[in-house]
């Protein structure tokens, strides 16, 4: 009997990538004016491109460097401000595909996860605006995928087939994520905790001592990667990568940085990040974000000859259905020993729970961006575990529901022309929605 051919994820990933880039790029230049936080980041990118001096110092430089690169490539216009955001959105969707493939080992499950990410709306919104969150998101997802790639390295493999280059790549990508926005920093800590937890779990399963489990020899995951050197390398690589993204600031025409001032500058950034801000009509508490109690208008006004809107909201099938999926994956993990489902549930819990500890005087729904991305994984994982018997292929119906809701909200997430100033009422399900 001829053995079944091995699964080929690349074809599915390529198709999804092309669809994502087309979706995110279509009419991305509309509106042809700054919207929402572009009013902060685009002027900062202009100053960065001119090397005239510091601006928007509460955030690192990398996201603004990408916006500046877009301006240099396409001009100081709406295409230039947003072009690299579209690439970041596509990379995020493909990163979710890679993570799901590396965790579950099934092309169907990886495809489902990527579709849920593509249609979750939050990625669509951040892929079409010149903000920092999209760049943070893509490097977080790709960085975690690289660490999972290292986890799957064959024992004894060398070069890119071995764990060390993949692990170092993960450190570089996660360092870039923090260089886009500091909110990515806790993810590095979660990755380290997960690495140690898996090693200790493997050690118990193999009846090894703790010392043997922390060693790299004879390990089923990250073979040849001892824990302490790996953690030190991850920290050193990510910090070095982060520091190197500040290089343009050393060439400012005024108030330029030096290597000796770089650490002190981080303290200034922290002071800016934690300052007490006045109340804002769109502010919301961190616990409310999964419930989508207070979405945010990025744009709602007469622009480009029509009433247009861009509402930062999530797809209810993904953001609310994803919460059910997290609980289902937790149950599968704790009750049935489904470690993969437990892992993706804990990833979302960590990415969301960190906001209970981050010192911010005000919160906004778009801070939920990273956890909203990760909901695609427990959704796909829950269907992978429970979608059997009478529920077989029900995941396809859920994808159809997700796509239908994406299409329903499309006019007010893509700045399509609307009928008038009160047209938004058609999509407002609750009084707390703007």
């Amino acid at each position: 009997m001829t053995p079944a051919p091995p699964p080929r994820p690349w074809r599915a990933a390529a198709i999804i990538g092309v669809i994502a880039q087309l979706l995110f790029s279509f009419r991305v230049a509309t509106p042809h004016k700054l919207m929402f936080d572009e009013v902060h980041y685009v002027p900062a990118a202009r100053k960065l491109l001119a090397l005239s001096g510091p601006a928007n110092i509460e955030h690192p430089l990398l996201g603004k460097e990408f916006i500046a690169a877009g301006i240099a490539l396409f001009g100081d216009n709406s295409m230039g401000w947003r072009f690299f955001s579209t690439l970041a959105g596509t990379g995020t969707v493909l990163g979710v595909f890679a993570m799901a493939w590396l965790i579950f080992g099934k092309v169907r499950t990886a495809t489902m996860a990527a579709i849920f990410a593509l249609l979750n709306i939050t990625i669509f919104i951040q892929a079409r605006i010149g903000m920092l969150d999209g760049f943070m998101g893509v490097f977080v997802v790709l960085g975690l995928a690289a660490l999972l790639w290292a986890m799957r390295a064959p024992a004894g493999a060398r070069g890119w087939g071995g764990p060390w280059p993949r692990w170092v790549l993960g450190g570089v990508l996660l360092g870039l994520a923090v260089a886009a926005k500091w909110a990515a920093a806790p993810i590095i800590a979660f990755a380290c905790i997960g690495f140690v937890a898996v090693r200790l779990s493997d050690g118990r399963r193999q009846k090894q001592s703790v010392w043997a489990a922390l060693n790299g020899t004879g390990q089923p995951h990250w073979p040849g990667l001892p824990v302490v050197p790996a953690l030190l390398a991850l920290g050193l690589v990510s910090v070095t990568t982060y520091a190197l993204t500040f290089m343009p600031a050393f060439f400012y025409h005024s108030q330029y940085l030096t290597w000796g001032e770089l650490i002190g500058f981080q303290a200034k950034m922290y002071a800016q990040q934690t300052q007490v801000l006045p109340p804002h009509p769109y502010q919301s508490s961190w616990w409310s974000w999964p419930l989508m109690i207070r979405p945010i208008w990025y744009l709602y006004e007469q622009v480009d000859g029509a009433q247009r809107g861009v509402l930062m909201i999530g797809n209810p099938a993904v953001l609310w259905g994803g919460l059910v999926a997290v609980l289902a994956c937790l149950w599968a993990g704790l009750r049935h020993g489904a470690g993969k489902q437990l892992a993706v549930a804990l990833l979302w819990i960590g990415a969301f729970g960190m906001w209970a500890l981050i010192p911010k005087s005000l919160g906004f729904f778009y801070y939920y961006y990273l956890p909203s991305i990760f909901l695609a994984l427990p959704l796909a994982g829950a269907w992978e575990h429970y979608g059997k018997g009478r529920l077989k292929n029900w995941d396809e119906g859920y994808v159809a529901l997700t796509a239908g809701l994406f299409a329903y909200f499309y006019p007010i997430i893509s700045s399509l022309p609307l009928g008038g100033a009160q047209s938004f009422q058609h999509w407002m399900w609750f009084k707390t929605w703007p």
Side-chain angles (χ1 to χ4, degrees):
M1 185 176 180
T2 305
R8 296 181 178 180
W10 305 111
R11 185 180 303 169
I15 293 171
I16 291 169
V18 170
I19 293 172
Q21 188 60 39
L22 290 174
L23 180 66
F24 298 153
S25 300
F26 180 61
R27 298 179 56 259
V28 69
T30 303
H32 294 82
K33 61 165 288 184
L34 298 174
M35 61 175 172
F36 197 59
D37 278 357
E38 285 181 336
V39 299
H40 303 299
Y41 304 131
V42 171
R46 290 168 179 156
K47 293 194 69 174
L48 184 60
L49 189 61
L51 295 177
S52 57
N56 185 241
I57 67 167
E58 62 265 35
H59 293 296
L61 293 185
L62 184 63
K64 289 165 281 189
E65 288 168 355
F66 275 110
I67 298 172
I71 293 173
L73 188 61
F74 293 101
D76 192 354
N77 52 53
S78 53
M79 175 59 76
W81 309 333
R82 300 167 192 156
F83 171 74
F84 281 102
S85 292
T86 68
L87 297 182
T90 298
T92 302
V93 173
L94 292 177
V96 169
F97 180 97
M99 288 183 68
W101 162 249
L102 291 163
I103 292 170
F104 298 104
K106 296 180 180 179
V107 175
R108 181 186 178 88
T109 305
T111 301
M112 287 295 174
I115 291 173
F116 290 135
L118 176 66
L119 300 176
N120 85 338
I121 295 182
T122 64
I123 294 177
F124 177 84
I125 297 293
Q126 294 302 144
R128 296 166 58 82
I129 188 170
M131 287 176 61
L132 311 182
D133 303 76
F135 302 113
M136 173 189 67
V138 67
F139 288 121
V140 164
V141 173
L142 292 178
L144 293 178
L147 299 186
L148 290 170
W149 191 32
M151 181 181 183
R152 299 301 187 192
R158 296 183 178 181
W160 282 106
W164 271 113
R166 301 176 183 185
W167 184 263
V168 170
L169 174 63
V172 170
L173 292 167
L174 291 174
L176 292 174
V178 180
K181 204 167 184 180
W182 277 5
I187 302 298
I188 301 179
F190 298 153
C192 293
I193 293 169
F195 174 49
V196 174
V198 169
R199 271 298 176 77
L200 293 176
S201 176
D202 288 342
R204 286 195 301 271
R205 194 174 297 111
Q206 298 180 100
K207 298 182 180 179
Q208 294 178 326
S209 66
V210 172
W211 174 257
L214 298 182
N215 198 287
T217 305
Q219 300 294 338
H221 302 115
W222 297 287
L225 210 65
V227 167
V228 174
L231 294 180
L232 291 175
L234 186 67
L236 179 62
V237 169
S238 60
V239 169
T240 302
T241 301
Y242 172 83
L244 289 175
T245 63
F246 282 86
M247 284 293 292
F250 299 165
F251 300 95
Y252 287 159
H253 300 315
S254 65
Q255 301 180 60
Y256 58 85
L257 275 182
T258 65
W259 284 113
E261 296 171 329
L262 184 57
I263 294 178
F265 187 72
Q266 308 305 303
K268 293 180 181 179
M269 292 171 61
Y270 181 80
Q272 290 285 323
Q273 287 275 355
T274 56
Q275 65 179 311
V276 178
L277 299 172
H280 192 282
Y282 282 147
Q283 72 184 63
S284 56
S285 300
W286 64 271
W287 57 263
S288 71
W289 300 336
L291 304 177
M292 281 199 302
I293 291 176
R294 191 66 171 137
I296 301 174
W297 282 118
Y298 279 7
L299 174 86
Y300 196 77
E301 61 182 273
Q302 281 277 341
V303 60
D304 293 338
Q307 182 75 34
R308 302 177 189 272
V310 175
L311 182 65
M312 177 54 169
I313 197 170
N315 189 317
V318 178
L319 268 70
W320 291 340
L323 300 180
V324 178
V326 168
L327 295 176
C329 286
L330 280 175
W331 179 260
L334 299 174
R335 182 72 175 180
H336 304 132
K340 297 173 181 179
Q341 276 72 17
L342 180 61
V344 294
L346 291 177
L347 176 61
W348 176 84
I349 290 171
F352 170 57
M354 70 183 188
W355 286 104
L357 304 175
I358 291 177
K360 283 282 192 179
S361 62
L362 294 182
F364 299 93
F365 175 67
Y366 72 89
Y367 291 177
Y368 189 60
Y369 181 59
L370 267 184
S372 76
I373 296 171
F374 292 140
L375 282 173
L377 294 168
L379 262 174
W383 282 115
E384 191 269 344
H385 185 78
Y386 294 104
K388 303 166 184 175
R390 289 183 298 176
L391 296 181
K392 186 177 181 180
N393 296 328
W394 278 38
D395 54 353
E396 297 175 5
Y398 202 80
V399 166
L401 172 64
T402 304
L405 286 168
F406 182 91
Y408 167 77
F409 283 106
Y410 188 78
I412 59 165
I413 62 175
S414 63
S415 70
L416 282 180
L418 302 175
Q422 295 302 310
S423 297
F424 73 96
Q425 297 286 358
H426 174 74
W427 292 273
M428 299 299 104
W429 292 2
F430 305 101
K431 291 182 179 179
T432 56
W433 287 16

